[in-house]
Amino acid sequence: MSIRNFSTFVFKRFDEHRDRVAFIEATPDGVKPVLYREWTRDVQRLAMGMLDAGFEPGQRIAVVGSTCRQWLDVAFAAWLNGGVVVPLVSGRDRREVLRCLARAGCDWIAAESHAGLDAIRGQGDKIPDHLRWLSFEKLRLGAPAPNTFELPDLVETGKDMLKRGKLDVLAKRTYELDAAAPALVLYPLDPGDDPHGAYFGGGKLAVMLESLGADLQLDPADRTAPLLSLGWFVGTLMSLAVLTQGGTLVLASNARELEERLGELQPTILLTGPAWIEGQAHRWRERLEQAPEFLKKMDGNTEQRGLGRALAALGGNTARSLLYDPVRRDLGDHVSRIYLAGGRCPDEAFDVLESARLPVLGVWGLPECGISHMERLGSRERASVGRPVQGYVCKIADARGEERGEVLIRSDVLFDGYWDDTGPRAIVEDYLQTGVQGHVKSGFLFVE
């Protein structure tokens, strides 16, 4: 694929989808659809406001947050300005976050609230004076801290600049961006004490998202809910791939609200991690063990406690009425598949979801290669992470047949390097040395 740069690529795609729904948002007043043309207008206004605030091409902006739309607004506004987006998960240890910011050389830090920014700043610590801070929300009382901007104010500034005919300033900046210029820096979910950010040029990022989005096989009616944090690279890439395909994301002000309002939002696809599945399994056990039918059946036999034993004792019809049908209703009753990244689905939970007609599909990748594997409806193998995404090749080092060994990944969109020039993984003879052990069976990858 030949593109001029990442920003012109994605915004051309968004213009093609202009009359489609980009987001279904949970608001205090109910569910609100947002069309692509409405969303890109808002992003353009924010990009103008960031330009006015001094955001320059090549600057790195760390976006620390979970699943709200403002996360995506800031990321795409930065890309219009030629910025480099650094997704980070909120709620991490402050020292870990600061190491990631320093290693990526971040100039801007954006977070969901002023409290989130203050948690990163700390108290009494020496923070570089050049840093700029951006809060998604406005303070109700008082003035922001020095060098701190608020997203609603930047949008208003951008609206005023557009009225004064300043759009050509942003358009010229966007059009002149180099396709090979860095656009995204990805860290692992747990960066640790020695974090290394893998970076990608905009051209590679565009090709990666196009291939990943095609393999998602989205239907025009699909609504995708990212229960994964957008700060985790899997959540970032999966959500961006949905938008590249003109799909619809289901969002709320935070991850907890999104989960609580799934019944109202009615997603058809969920993107999640093992922690959410484990939390659901705990709720399922409680639901069963508190049901009168279960208590009567058990008659005090505590040995039957536990999800698997309880389901076996209850029988199919009772289990369906007590668990499988309510599970579907909890998730909006329209979910067609669940993508699970970051771990294996526990067997009991997998069986419950399968019985509730909620197929679980594995997803796997690393910051250095993006999402390289995923399962698809009609192409699944229990406990696998799927077959390679379009444009990826996988092999096991020095293995014959189904032997176990190091997973090696080849693709044209492997990372361009680590931002600080060093890191734990290398590309040798076109293959990424992942350091992960696994085996391949019938083309499906099983990681250990």
Side-chain angles (χ1 to χ4, degrees), residues 38-57:
E38 298 170 328
W39 173 52
T40 53
R41 176 203 62 200
D42 293 343
V43 169
Q44 192 177 67
R45 291 170 174 173
L46 176 57
M48 294 289 290
M50 291 174 66
L51 184 154
D52 183 72
F55 193 96
E56 295 291 337

Side-chain angles (χ1 to χ4, degrees), residues 59-131:
Q59 289 190 326
R60 275 80 71 197
I61 178 168
V63 189
V64 186
S66 54
T67 60
C68 59
R69 174 188 148 181
Q70 289 90 339
W71 195 105
L72 292 160
D73 290 354
V74 169
F76 279 100
W79 280 320
L80 275 178
N81 275 296
V84 184
V85 175
V86 185
L88 294 176
V89 177
S90 59
R92 291 294 185 193
D93 179 79
R94 175 173 176 267
R95 290 170 298 178
E96 184 178 271
V97 173
L98 290 176
R99 290 191 189 100
C100 291
L101 296 175
R103 288 286 179 87
C106 290
D107 308 282
W108 287 67
I109 297 96
E112 297 175 10
S113 65
H114 286 276
L117 294 179
D118 289 341
I120 298 171
R121 288 191 187 100
Q123 296 181 352
D125 295 345
K126 180 62 176 175
I127 298 293
D129 295 334
H130 77 278
L131 291 179

Side-chain angles (χ1 to χ4, degrees), residues 47-259:
M48 294 289 290
M50 291 174 66
L51 184 154
D52 183 72
F55 193 96
E56 295 291 337
Q59 289 190 326
R60 275 80 71 197
I61 178 168
V63 189
V64 186
S66 54
T67 60
C68 59
R69 174 188 148 181
Q70 289 90 339
W71 195 105
L72 292 160
D73 290 354
V74 169
F76 279 100
W79 280 320
L80 275 178
N81 275 296
V84 184
V85 175
V86 185
L88 294 176
V89 177
S90 59
R92 291 294 185 193
D93 179 79
R94 175 173 176 267
R95 290 170 298 178
E96 184 178 271
V97 173
L98 290 176
R99 290 191 189 100
C100 291
L101 296 175
R103 288 286 179 87
C106 290
D107 308 282
W108 287 67
I109 297 96
E112 297 175 10
S113 65
H114 286 276
L117 294 179
D118 289 341
I120 298 171
R121 288 191 187 100
Q123 296 181 352
D125 295 345
K126 180 62 176 175
I127 298 293
D129 295 334
H130 77 278
L131 291 179
R132 298 294 181 265
W133 309 80
L134 173 57
S135 169
F136 296 173
E137 66 173 14
K138 284 185 67 66
L139 279 174
R140 293 185 179 181
L141 298 172
N147 297 328
T148 301
F149 301 89
E150 297 175 327
L151 190 150
D153 289 343
L154 293 182
V155 170
E156 288 301 314
T157 298
K159 287 171 63 175
D160 183 64
M161 292 177 69
L162 289 171
K163 289 178 182 178
R164 293 188 283 114
K166 299 292 185 180
L167 178 59
D168 60 328
V169 179
L170 178 65
K172 185 175 185 294
R173 172 179 285 191
T174 301
Y175 186 76
E176 291 179 347
L177 296 175
D178 186 346
L184 185 67
V185 177
L186 298 179
Y187 282 101
L189 177 61
D190 294 309
D193 292 335
D194 186 24
H196 299 277
Y199 75 89
F200 296 82
K204 282 189 176 182
L205 179 58
V207 175
M208 177 194 296
L209 297 179
E210 185 80 346
S211 299
L212 178 59
D215 274 4
L216 286 173
Q217 300 174 318
L218 298 175
D219 185 272
D222 276 329
R223 299 179 175 188
T224 303
L227 297 172
L228 294 172
S229 168
L230 294 179
W232 181 21
F233 80 92
V234 178
T236 303
L237 296 178
M238 292 286 275
S239 299
L240 295 179
V242 169
L243 293 173
T244 302
Q245 294 296 308
T248 302
L249 287 179
V250 173
L251 297 171
S253 60
N254 55 62
R256 176 174 292 181
E257 182 184 6
L258 176 58
E259 182 177 344

Side-chain angles (χ1 to χ4, degrees), residues 4-42:
R4 181 166 185 84
N5 59 55
F6 180 67
S7 298
T8 56
F9 164 75
V10 292
F11 279 89
K12 181 181 178 182
R13 295 298 298 271
F14 295 161
D15 187 59
E16 294 170 357
H17 310 318
R18 63 193 320 270
D19 293 321
R20 295 186 186 180
V21 176
F23 303 110
I24 299 291
E25 288 188 289
T27 73
D29 299 323
V31 173
K32 175 187 175 184
V34 179
L35 300 180
Y36 272 90
R37 67 169 180 264
E38 298 170 328
W39 173 52
T40 53
R41 176 203 62 200
D42 293 343

Side-chain angles (χ1 to χ4, degrees), residues 424-436:
R425 299 184 175 95
I427 298 173
V428 178
E429 296 181 351
D430 296 330
Y431 279 91
L432 175 69
Q433 316 291 295
T434 69
V436 175

Side-chain angles (χ1 to χ4, degrees), residues 4 87 91 96 115-116 124 179 199 293 304 352-353 360 373 376 400 409 419 435:
R4 181 166 185 84
E96 184 178 271
Y199 75 89
E293 295 93 332
Q304 290 288 349
V352 169
L353 291 167
V360 179
H373 285 73
R376 300 147 181 92
R400 294 182 179 180
I409 302 293
W419 197 265

